[in-house]
Amino acid sequence: LTSGMGTGAFSVLLLRLTILHERIATSEASTSRAIKRFSKFRALLEGNHTRWHQVSNYATAIGCTEKSLTRASLEAVGRSAKDVIAARIVLEAKRFLAHSDLPVYLIAANLGFDEATNFSKFFRRETGCTPGAFRVRENVMGDRGDTPTQPS
């Protein structure tokens, strides 16, 4: 086994392999914990995105810090927990805008915004267009047959 390699060199190699193995095992355990934490976060987000807009709400419910929840989110999907929350709210807003005739102020209320202006500012910041402009664009595309106007 050690032909061409001294006993000391073999021992060093064995030690390095052991350390590397321990680092990988620790990393896998850390990743596993992060994935579990992120999975809990996603489940909570699905049930609470219309009420909880802050990372702190989810971190408290999971029993971790905002920082550890954000680290878990970054590790799992490459986006901060704040960005994941915003994306979920935007997705629901787009669904309402594209598939209902509800006025923007009611969509804002359904999504947990106290004021329609806060919702409009949020939507514009996240998408680059106003809720009204998004709705017009979706309706025009739907009329051309590019996108469905009714939910499937």
Side-chain angles (χ1 to χ4, degrees):
L1 248 176
T2 60
S3 62
M5 182 184 308
T7 307
F10 181 73
S11 295
V12 170
L13 177 62
L14 189 57
L15 178 61
R16 286 184 178 176
L17 286 173
T18 302
I19 291 170
L20 180 61
H21 176 64
E22 288 173 3
R23 284 183 185 165
I24 291 171
T26 302
S27 175
E28 287 173 354
S30 174
T31 299
S32 177
R33 281 192 306 270
I35 297 301
K36 286 177 184 174
R37 181 169 287 149
F38 182 76
S39 294
K40 289 178 184 177
F41 168 54
R42 288 297 299 205
L44 283 169
L45 181 60
E46 284 307 308
N48 297 289
H49 65 273
T50 61
R51 298 180 306 134
W52 296 350
H53 294 179
Q54 303 297 319
V55 175
S56 60
N57 299 124
Y58 297 95
T60 298
I62 293 169
C64 67
T65 65
E66 293 176 44
K67 187 174 182 177
S68 64
L69 181 55
T70 294
R71 274 195 306 261
S73 183
L74 286 167
E75 190 168 330
V77 295
R79 299 170 72 189
S80 71
K82 180 181 176 182
D83 288 344
V84 172
I85 294 167
R88 181 62 183 94
I89 295 167
V90 166
L91 174 64
E92 199 65 25
K94 286 180 175 181
R95 287 179 178 160
F96 275 122
L97 291 164
H99 303 297
S100 79
D101 293 328
L102 287 174
V104 171
Y105 79 92
L106 287 179
I107 293 171
N110 285 336
L111 294 174
F113 288 87
D114 294 332
E115 298 287 332
T117 55
N118 292 339
F119 166 69
S120 293
K121 289 176 186 177
F122 165 80
F123 191 86
R124 184 178 188 128
R125 183 180 68 238
E126 295 297 320
T127 67
C129 68
T130 65
F134 176 83
R135 178 175 268 164
V136 167
R137 185 178 73 214
E138 287 300 303
N139 287 336
V140 168
M141 290 176 71
D143 291 344
R144 292 193 327 234
D146 294 343
T147 58
T149 56
Q150 296 296 318
S152 305

